[in-house]
Amino acid sequence: MSKHTIGWVFVAVQAVLLAILVLLPSRDDFTLPGWLDRLVDVVFWVGIVLIGVAAAFLGRSLTATPVPRDAAELRTNGPYRWARHPIYSGVILVVVALAIRSGSVIALGIGAITIAFFVVKSSWEERRLAERFPGYADYAARTGRFFPGW
């Protein structure tokens, strides 16, 4: 299977996981105290903003799949200064917020699976980035995957 086909499989699985998380009905497995409810709102919107800002910093290098474009440039500024995959970081924040907000243990499980999926997807993507950009290994050694230090 080609790397481009595998990239689209990652996109499809990601879409399914996120759709399940969004479409799962809320439950009453647990309730949130008011302060946590407000914090979850902040985490959600920080994630949304981070996705937008990180996508904008990629510019013409932005692609739907985890395969870098032939004309892509390695970005190490803006949000890429603190995380190698800040778009994924934003998605992870949104996933955490949605899962917690749902009041559903099932949604928490789907959220955990989704985060694990992004670890696998980013690992696969990083092998493509290391092939494409000679300086990627040095960048990866000093920059967290999703968040500074992580």
Side-chain angles (χ1 to χ4, degrees):
M1 196 177 319
S2 78
K3 66 182 176 183
H4 293 287
T5 302
I6 294 169
W8 282 110
V9 168
F10 275 116
V11 170
V13 171
Q14 174 181 320
V16 169
L17 287 169
L18 293 173
I20 290 169
L21 190 59
V22 168
L23 297 174
L24 273 176
S26 294
R27 295 175 43 130
D28 294 324
D29 297 342
F30 57 89
T31 57
L32 302 179
W35 67 269
L36 185 54
D37 191 48
R38 288 185 295 280
L39 179 60
V40 166
D41 283 344
V42 170
V43 168
F44 177 86
W45 288 109
V46 166
I48 294 293
V49 168
L50 183 54
I51 292 166
V53 169
F57 264 85
L58 276 181
R60 296 180 139 220
S61 296
L62 181 64
T63 178
T65 75
V67 179
R69 292 177 183 265
D70 290 337
E73 297 175 20
L74 179 61
R75 300 285 189 219
T76 59
N77 61 338
Y80 294 88
R81 181 180 200 174
W82 295 285
R84 299 188 309 266
H85 302 280
I87 293 174
Y88 297 167
S89 307
V91 174
I92 288 169
L93 292 174
V94 168
V95 164
V96 167
L98 290 173
I100 292 172
R101 170 55 65 80
S102 73
S104 167
V105 173
I106 295 168
L108 290 176
I110 297 296
I113 290 167
T114 303
I115 292 168
F117 167 80
F118 275 101
V119 171
V120 171
K121 180 182 177 188
S122 64
S123 294
W124 187 88
E125 182 176 359
E126 290 195 339
R127 288 191 294 281
R128 309 298 78 73
L129 292 167
E131 291 167 0
R132 172 73 179 79
F133 301 110
Y136 191 80
D138 291 336
Y139 168 66
R142 68 178 185 274
T143 309
R145 180 177 294 194
F146 301 122
F147 304 98
W150 184 62

